[in-house]
Amino acid sequence: MRMLLSGNEATAHAARLARIEVFPVYPITPQAPMINSIVGFIDRGELKCAHKRMESDHSALAGAAGASLVGARAFTASNSQGLALMHELLFYTAGLRLPVVMAIINRALSAPHCRFPDHSDAIAQEATGWLQLYCENNQEVLDTVLQAFRIAEDERVLLPVMVNFEGYILGHTKEVVEVPEQEAVDAFLPAYSRAVVDVEHPAAINTATNGEIYMEYKYLQHRAMQGSLTVVKEVNAEFAERFGRDWGGAVELYRGEDARALLVAMGSAVSTARIAVDEMRAAGQPVGLLKVRSFRPFPADEIRSVAAGVRALAVIDRDIIYGVGGALHREVQWALAGDAVHKPVLSYIAGMGGRDISVADVKAIGQDVLAATEKGSVPMGAHWVGLKADLVGEAK
Amino acid sequence: MGEREELYRLPREELLSGGHQGISGYGGTIAVRQALKALGPNTVIVVPASAVATVGGLNTSTAWRIPFVHSLFECAPAMATGIRAALEIKGKTGVTLVSFAGDAGSADIGFQSLSGAAERDEDIIHVCYDDEAYLNTGGQAGGTTPAGAQTVNTPQGKPTGKKDLLSIIEAHGAGYVASASIAFPLDFIAKLRKAKERKGFRYLHILTPNPATWGFAADQTIHIARLAVDCGLWPLFEVEDGGRRVTYAPVRRVPVADYIRAQGRFRHLTGDQIAAMQAQVDASAGGGR
Ligand SMILES: Cc1ncc(C[n+]2csc(CCOP(=O)(O)OP(=O)(O)O)c2C)c(N)n1
């Protein structure tokens, strides 16, 4: 059925269709409408699920971890301050190999206080052991939440997954979304019931460890994260076959034919960049777009092979790692580090705290990167798109 | 039935088996042992970071014979909330679910999740085992450390008093709230059995003296625990649906000084200070607090 849905509502529909069983959650702007939608489904008997009104974001994830230990399908949603407060629980959930799925309606972090979107909240959790998928529109949000459960619960993975989409830009904006039928989703996503906590089979969960086994444990966790890349792709392919929508797996190359340079982006900037690339192509400028859908696991090999034919890349980051630059830029550079031919990788910080990333912005970046294919060298550091020079005391 | 006979009738089975690493005379594991006699094998226990969480085993070995979940420090009741929700949705009934936390894991860093679970009337039993310090990190003072007690980070004695967590949880409207002592195992076990039969949020707070941090010999734990009750500082009572009942009244209260003088952590207290404590206990005499 086609419906007009915000990203929050699309997520709620996905949660309903996934038949989530326990939903411990704590409100945070701009995620709260999703809670209301899911509670509405439960209230009207359209979803059999325990909504737990927790007393903090930290407790929300603790509750989800507890539910997952008993073999229930657990879901929660958060962002920014809430996600930061969950930090230690993120490691814990991943370390216990619990397939919890969490929607992150990306929002900038304080200070200064800001309720508008960027990716810095999730990027800051990159080392916690969660898979991180990023969406470009509300249809992808719905589809990716469904895929996330399949990926997380796969015996080869058993890791928690964050599904990211920017607050307001996607979270509050209505788009036409195809909402699949329950039977189709049931066939794609079977019920889950992997109980670790069970009085019939007592086990000790998270006993104290030391150097004797901790390292091997972590190795296995790392290996599972690396291996999850295959599962991300497989699940996307199966989804595409069943539902007719292909989101590219871990990465998607758009208009890569004869491209001399590539733009690289995640999240809603990808949909903006599609327009920019179309316009540039129409003007005869050979620029392609690389959409990174999976930030964790990071598809380094695919990026290297996709980039093999181009002379330069430009990475658009909606995040900042202070003193380093954009996280996606750092990863792309790392992915290309082993290449025999050195390629310039330009870096752009854009759209922080909800500032718009326009088609014109992306086209300007496209011009830069095409120019770099001629020069072969790039300016050091990141370029901050649309920075107000007078506000930072750099006005000429 | 006499006390001796009652003790004799307790299940023999040890659900926290021998081989755990609790040091001798440690009140925490004594409380666990007693609690499991009442709770039985159909129990899931969630223990946050604490001494009890770490003494149960190392690497792939464990002394726990029931499902044991070592939660993060501040969220045992929150994890238990999720566990209960999942048990219910999966149709698994008849499981007793306990979050068993130290005093920091209950009264300080753990207070937020404890308060949340109490307010939501979650179907869990929370046991706070109170050794009046942060044992796992070396015995620092916390919210339930009593006034005057010397600890590693209150070398002059703690200047402020003991947080009254029992009253705080009672004020949440919990259906069942009770104090307990490891020196009175039958009282503790009877309370837990009663709690087990009920639904909703239930709270028990048991005093668990610890030799090293309190400053007494390892074979004196039970004696010290008994003195705390007998001098009136740690009254044994229960509050069931708002109805308060003293469950043990000492025939003749012993002087507070007997309890204080038996512990190194109070060695610096003057006679006047102890007299003031005695006066406080006398003022609240008659049980309860
Ligand atoms: C978030 C966090 N902060 C600090 C610690 C360190 N820590 C572990 S146990 C503990 C004290 C526990 O005290 P209590 O709850 O009274 O239990 P006890 O060890 O005394 O039995 C502390 C401070 C931790 N594990 N996690």
Side-chain angles (χ1 to χ4, degrees):
Chain A
M1 194 195 341
R2 285 163 82 79
M3 296 176 78
L4 197 58
L5 298 178
S6 68
N8 273 311
E9 291 162 343
T11 306
H13 277 280
R16 170 181 62 78
L17 290 165
R19 298 186 190 274
I20 61 164
E21 293 173 298
V22 182
F23 178 49
V25 70
Y26 195 73
I28 186 163
T29 302
Q31 146 266 40
M34 180 193 309
I35 303 180
N36 304 347
S37 298
I38 292 181
V39 169
F41 289 138
I42 297 170
D43 248 24
R44 294 191 297 274
E46 295 167 40
L47 173 64
K48 183 170 174 276
C49 170
H51 160 235
K52 298 307 304 187
R53 175 181 56 78
M54 302 306 284
E55 70 289 335
S56 84
D57 323 78
H58 189 282
S59 286
L61 192 51
S68 190
L69 278 172
V70 183
R73 187 168 280 158
F75 177 71
T76 189
S78 190
N79 64 42
S80 65
Q81 313 308 129
L83 184 59
L85 188 61
M86 288 176 178
H87 185 59
E88 60 162 0
L89 253 317
L90 296 174
F91 287 100
Y92 184 82
T93 313
L96 288 182
R97 307 293 299 272
L98 298 174
V100 172
V101 172
M102 173 155 58
I104 304 296
I105 302 82
N106 300 103
R107 165 179 161 177
L109 276 156
S110 191
H113 175 85
C114 182
R115 65 190 165 92
F116 298 105
D118 64 46
H119 289 148
S120 297
D121 57 355
I123 293 297
Q125 309 300 343
E126 64 173 348
T128 57
W130 283 59
L131 279 74
Q132 292 195 7
L133 306 176
Y134 289 76
C135 306
E136 61 170 304
N137 60 40
N138 294 347
Q139 183 72 62
E140 187 178 16
V141 169
L142 186 147
D143 294 352
T144 303
V145 171
L146 294 178
Q147 292 183 21
F149 285 105
R150 263 291 295 274
I151 298 164
E153 292 166 10
D154 191 294
E155 285 287 330
R156 293 167 291 174
V157 180
L158 289 175
L159 287 171
V161 180
M162 286 180 201
V163 178
N164 291 273
F165 55 97
E166 290 118 303
Y168 298 109
I169 298 174
L170 295 178
H172 273 64
T173 307
K174 300 233 184 204
E175 294 184 325
V176 175
V177 174
E178 174 67 38
V179 180
E181 293 304 319
Q182 185 67 64
E183 301 73 54
V185 174
D186 288 347
F188 169 74
L189 181 66
Y192 176 73
S193 61
R194 186 177 178 277
V196 185
V197 164
D198 178 3
V199 287
E200 304 293 324
H201 306 280
I205 312 298
N206 190 29
T207 50
T209 65
N210 58 23
E212 292 277 318
I213 65 165
Y214 186 83
M215 228 169 129
E216 285 70 23
Y217 199 106
K218 292 292 123 177
Y219 173 78
L220 289 172
Q221 200 181 326
H222 177 59
R223 208 172 67 182
M225 174 63 89
Q226 287 181 315
S228 70
L229 194 55
T230 311
V231 181
V232 169
K233 289 189 266 187
E234 272 178 24
V235 168
N236 178 74
E238 186 188 325
F239 188 92
E241 207 166 286
R242 286 177 182 272
F243 298 94
R245 289 184 295 276
D246 183 348
W247 298 105
V251 295
E252 183 204 338
L253 180 62
Y254 180 69
R255 306 215 59 175
E257 68 281 1
D258 306 322
R260 295 193 45 193
L262 283 183
L263 299 171
V264 186
M266 296 197 300
S268 69
V270 171
S271 57
T272 309
R274 286 184 197 273
I275 300 169
V277 165
D278 286 347
E279 291 182 8
M280 291 183 78
R281 284 293 184 142
Q285 295 173 312
V287 176
L289 169 65
L290 181 64
K291 163 183 171 171
V292 176
R293 183 165 179 254
S294 173
F295 184 71
R296 288 288 178 274
F298 196 74
D301 290 340
E302 273 182 272
I303 289 176
R304 190 161 46 246
S305 63
V306 165
V310 304
R311 306 264 299 265
L313 298 90
V315 181
I316 304 171
D317 269 284
R318 196 170 215 140
D319 64 86
I320 178 68
I321 298 179
Y322 308 103
V324 173
L328 185 57
H329 176 254
R330 180 198 57 189
E331 305 291 271
V332 170
Q333 276 201 314
W334 158 68
L336 302 180
D339 269 3
V341 193
H342 174 76
K343 280 187 199 107
V345 183
L346 282 65
S347 175
Y348 296 83
I349 307 293
M352 300 287 292
R355 186 170 295 182
D356 196 29
I357 302 177
S358 69
V359 173
D361 291 334
V362 180
K363 282 168 81 174
I365 296 170
Q367 305 296 355
D368 279 3
V369 71
L370 279 178
T373 62
E374 309 296 333
K375 288 201 292 263
S377 72
V378 292
M380 287 294 288
H383 177 72
W384 290 59
V385 176
L387 196 70
K388 294 174 182 164
D390 53 330
L391 286 187
V392 294
E394 288 176 7
K396 305 255 156 55
Chain B
M1 187 159 50
E3 274 205 3
R4 206 173 276 274
E5 197 183 332
E6 240 185 286
L7 279 168
Y8 214 73
R9 283 176 165 223
L10 291 175
R12 299 269 127 175
E13 199 178 16
E14 299 295 350
L15 296 171
L16 179 71
S17 70
H20 70 71
Q21 293 156 342
I23 53 162
S24 54
Y26 172 48
T29 36
I30 296 172
V32 174
R33 181 173 183 226
Q34 295 176 1
L36 293 178
K37 299 283 177 195
L39 296 169
N42 216 10
T43 300
V44 173
I45 192 165
V46 184
V47 185
S50 61
V52 162
T54 40
V55 299
L58 186 64
N59 293 331
T60 52
S61 72
T62 182
W64 294 95
R65 289 184 163 144
I66 53 171
F68 158 81
V69 180
H70 178 190
S71 81
L72 291 177
F73 196 7
E74 59 288 78
C75 57
M79 260 200 111
T81 296
I83 289 174
R84 175 61 79 197
L87 287 170
E88 275 176 11
I89 210 117
K90 293 288 190 189
K92 293 182 183 165
T93 51
V95 176
T96 304
L97 179 57
V98 182
S99 54
F100 197 99
D103 40 283
S106 302
D108 296 340
I109 194 169
F111 181 69
Q112 177 171 288
S113 63
L114 177 62
S115 172
E119 178 274 321
R120 291 190 305 271
D121 199 24
E122 294 295 344
D123 192 14
I124 59 181
I125 300 174
H126 185 92
V127 179
C128 169
Y129 72 95
D130 187 357
D131 48 38
E132 301 190 328
Y134 293 11
L135 254 59
N136 206 38
T137 42
Q140 297 84 358
T144 71
T145 306
Q150 283 181 335
T151 69
V152 285
N153 63 352
T154 56
Q156 310 292 326
K158 190 186 160 202
T160 53
K162 185 177 175 74
K163 196 186 277 189
D164 183 359
L165 196 53
L166 276 153
S167 294
I168 296 168
I169 300 302
E170 201 185 324
H172 281 66
Y176 188 80
V177 173
S179 65
S181 163
I182 51 171
F184 296 82
L186 291 177
D187 176 81
F188 179 40
I189 288 168
K191 286 168 175 170
L192 268 176
R193 282 182 171 155
K194 190 178 271 188
K196 197 179 150 181
E197 294 312 311
R198 296 179 58 103
K199 285 221 151 268
F201 190 79
R202 295 141 283 170
Y203 180 77
L204 285 92
H205 193 127
I206 183 162
L207 193 68
T208 54
N210 181 55
T213 46
W214 293 27
F216 59 80
D219 60 0
Q220 295 300 300
T221 304
I222 299 298
H223 176 61
I224 297 289
R226 179 175 290 277
L227 282 177
V229 174
D230 282 347
C231 78
L233 268 176
W234 190 250
L236 297 182
F237 65 93
E238 66 183 1
V239 185
E240 211 179 343
D241 300 320
R244 176 179 293 262
R245 191 173 77 86
V246 173
T247 58
Y248 168 81
V251 184
R252 199 166 48 81
R253 273 195 280 118
V254 303
V256 169
D258 289 8
Y259 175 63
I260 298 297
R261 288 294 180 218
Q263 301 170 56
R265 61 178 175 159
F266 294 122
R267 86 170 62 79
H268 59 292
L269 292 187
T270 63
D272 284 351
Q273 286 169 311
I274 297 173
M277 290 169 112
Q278 182 68 59
Q280 258 186 17
V281 170
D282 292 344
S284 67
R289 292 141 306 132

